[in-house]
Amino acid sequence: MEKCSFFMLQLSETMAKRNMIKTVSDHAIHLDLLAKARGITAAENYFVSLPEPSKNHLCYGALLNCYCKELMTEKSEGLMEKMKELSLPLSSMPYNSLMTLYTKVGQPEKIPSLIQEMKASNVMLDSYTYNVWMRALAAVNDISGVERVHDEMKRGGQVTGDWTTYSNLASIFVDAGL
């Protein structure tokens, strides 16, 4: 994976040297590749160097995802707040990145408040969101909460359970001795 990221980064830099114009999504991809191939500092420097019009929700989201992958909780939370202050359009992706971060750093209790924030902001929960939410509830031994979330998911009708959901549920119930 690292060799592939490095190769893709070189390709992106070659395109820039040839004065090929990058789209805003190209900038986000380049930022992600920089973080993978050269580290988070290189990605941050690239982000800072971007012209303001290029710093859209995609670039902010890419940087947020990089912070979350590096388990940089304070920077992740700060960047998410900045995204909200700028009124950037938020999808489930930045929330999912934060929820995954909280799971990895052992703070599953923070996830329900993110879910409530998503709902209050009319951000659509996706299958990944529901799965992380159920895992977070299981981590704090709230099995009835897991069942309520699964019921909510089924009732909503917009997100259907897949094999990941049912594998996740089976694992939760087995771990709980049920």
Side-chain angles (χ1 to χ4, degrees):
M1 178 66 173
E2 205 166 296
K3 281 185 180 183
C4 181
S5 296
F6 187 74
F7 172 75
M8 295 301 294
L9 177 62
Q10 286 179 321
L11 180 61
S12 179
E13 289 172 344
T14 300
M15 291 171 61
K17 286 177 188 172
R18 293 184 180 174
N19 294 322
M20 297 177 84
I21 297 170
K22 287 184 180 175
T23 66
V24 288
S25 61
D26 290 338
H27 286 298
I29 292 166
H30 187 83
L31 193 150
D32 182 62
L33 291 171
L34 269 171
K36 288 176 180 167
R38 297 201 180 129
I40 194 74
T41 302
E44 288 174 318
N45 291 337
Y46 179 76
F47 181 82
V48 169
S49 74
L50 286 173
E52 285 305 313
S54 296
K55 293 179 183 175
N56 66 358
H57 68 287
L58 298 173
C59 287
Y60 272 94
L63 184 58
L64 174 67
N65 192 48
C66 293
Y67 285 155
C68 290
K69 284 182 180 178
E70 293 295 320
L71 307 180
M72 302 171 83
T73 306
E74 287 182 27
K75 284 195 173 195
S76 298
E77 291 170 340
L79 190 61
M80 184 68 152
E81 287 307 312
K82 177 75 171 174
M83 292 169 73
K84 292 176 202 171
E85 287 171 19
L86 294 172
S87 299
L88 295 175
L90 297 177
S91 66
S92 62
M93 288 183 69
Y95 287 100
N96 288 345
S97 291
L98 272 178
M99 288 188 278
T100 301
L101 166 65
Y102 291 147
T103 299
K104 288 181 178 179
V105 298
Q107 297 177 329
E109 68 280 357
K110 289 186 172 185
I111 293 173
S113 63
L114 283 178
I115 298 292
Q116 295 311 313
E117 183 179 316
M118 289 176 74
K119 289 179 177 183
S121 301
N122 293 317
V123 175
M124 181 96 140
L125 280 66
D126 59 22
S127 179
Y128 187 87
T129 310
Y130 279 109
N131 283 315
V132 173
W133 186 13
M134 287 186 277
R135 273 270 168 217
L137 292 169
V140 295
N141 296 315
D142 184 0
I143 302 304
S144 63
V146 171
E147 292 171 334
R148 281 191 310 276
V149 170
H150 183 245
D151 288 343
E152 175 184 319
M153 186 175 135
K154 290 190 306 188
R155 271 193 321 273
Q158 295 177 345
V159 177
T160 56
D162 57 10
W163 72 267
T164 303
T165 302
Y166 293 105
S167 173
N168 190 30
L169 284 168
S171 176
I172 289 168
F173 292 137
V174 167
D175 289 348
L178 303 172

